[in-house]
Amino acid sequence: MLNPAKLNKRVKLLQLTRGEDDGFGGTTTWTVAATVWAEFLKARVSPGVIADDGAAVLVTQGMRIRARADIDKGWRVEHDGHQYEVYDVDRSDPEIYVLTTQEVRT
């Protein structure tokens, strides 16, 4: 069941927009598709591949938002100066989606 009080972070949903191809591949930009309320879940730390210096880890951030048809893998979420790439969208609940994201390092 949806608890609106937990949706306490204002985030922007960003979609990749491709510009007109002028023979050189065109330009791509991230445009704001919507601004919504979200709940940040506890970050998940998973062991990754073994690197030369030891084991690497993968840190993902779960987020809950109200269900919306347009959000999908490959989108980004922006909050407080940080951007997160959407790796998965769990649509098992018809009221709320859980996004699995990872912070984008620029």
Side-chain angles (χ1 to χ4, degrees):
M1 176 176 246
L2 176 65
N3 182 352
K6 290 186 176 183
L7 302 175
N8 59 2
K9 306 278 192 258
R10 197 71 169 153
V11 300
K12 294 177 184 174
L13 302 179
L14 307 174
Q15 182 179 21
L16 188 62
T17 305
R18 300 189 191 286
E20 196 170 313
D21 188 353
D22 57 2
F24 298 100
T27 58
T28 57
T29 56
W30 291 100
T31 56
V32 178
T35 302
V36 300
W37 290 99
E39 173 190 1
F40 278 50
L41 306 173
K42 185 177 177 183
R44 180 179 296 167
V45 179
S46 305
V49 297
I50 303 297
D52 292 338
D53 297 349
V57 295
L58 175 68
V59 180
T60 57
Q61 177 64 59
M63 299 177 195
R64 284 192 184 110
I65 63 169
R66 290 183 191 272
R68 48 182 304 118
D70 55 352
I71 184 80
D72 210 350
K73 293 178 190 177
W75 282 43
R76 288 194 177 174
V77 177
E78 184 176 87
H79 176 260
D80 200 24
H82 299 273
Q83 283 193 7
Y84 303 86
E85 183 163 353
V86 177
Y87 287 146
D88 186 53
V89 180
D90 179 356
R91 293 179 168 90
S92 59
D93 185 331
E95 290 185 4
I96 202 153
Y97 290 165
V98 178
L99 311 178
T100 301
T101 68
Q102 184 179 23
E103 187 170 359
V104 176
R105 303 285 180 190
T106 57

